[in-house]
Amino acid sequence: MTIRLLIVDDDPLVRAGLTLMLGGADDIDIVGEGTDGRDVPDLVARLAPDVILMDIRMPYVDGLTATERLRARPDAPQVVVLTTFHADEQVLRALRAGAAGFVLKDTPPAEIVASVRRVASGDPVLSPAVTRQLMTHVVGRQEQPRRTTATGRLAELAERERAVAVAIGRGQSNAEIAAALYLSVPTVKTHVSRILAKLGLNNRVQIALLVHDAGLLDEDGS
């Protein structure tokens, strides 16, 4: 499978660097470049990318707004946001909006290539440790209102679905969840799909963030 990749960044040097490092991968086809978030709808319609590498800070329409608009559409491509900061409020907002993860602009080339491949295969580019760092540094001051909201949303889940959601929050893979809960991997995948549908979420990153918001990982010491 060839991954169709779109790069959106207002810095021509960044775009050139990404094109150089990613263009050598046999399974990645860079189908186009954009200079601002306002370019994204037209580029997606014309080029049909599988994955977008999206800068957060752009002059007219930022990456956050572009991601929110894009992920509201059916069959939207996956988005990986580009940033220069680990703990940044806009990064967390982009993840809540449906981005599949983020990479730092100084990430080694091989890791960026691996990130694109992971997202294209349906896996998030975000470790539980990074999620906790973002939550601690950025949203601690909003903890109680967000916890109340998250707890209410997770109450919509059946008991087994809730257990799967908590396991996702711990960063466990489908195979690890299946072993821990004595389920088959296909059954876990079915539960994940139901969780996403019930809660109106786009991906596992958003499930993990909701579990963090609800404080469920605090309860089990994770």
Side-chain angles (χ1 to χ4, degrees), residues 135-196:
M135 297 291 290
T136 300
H137 286 83
V138 177
V139 299
R141 62 186 180 276
Q142 302 171 344
E143 181 176 351
Q144 192 54 51
R146 184 163 279 139
R147 176 167 294 197
T148 300
T149 299
T151 300
R153 294 186 67 189
L154 289 172
E156 301 174 27
L157 302 180
E159 182 178 353
R160 187 50 59 92
E161 291 167 349
R162 179 184 171 95
V164 170
V166 171
I168 290 172
R170 296 191 193 109
Q172 293 179 308
S173 66
N174 286 343
E176 290 169 334
I177 296 171
L181 299 180
Y182 305 101
L183 301 171
S184 68
V185 171
T187 298
V188 172
K189 291 180 178 179
T190 297
H191 282 310
V192 173
S193 296
R194 287 176 178 168
I195 293 167
L196 293 172

Side-chain angles (χ1 to χ4, degrees), residues 200-213:
L201 303 176
N202 291 305
N203 55 45
R204 295 168 75 99
V205 173
Q206 289 183 318
I207 296 175
L209 289 172
L210 197 63
V211 169
H212 276 270
D213 286 347

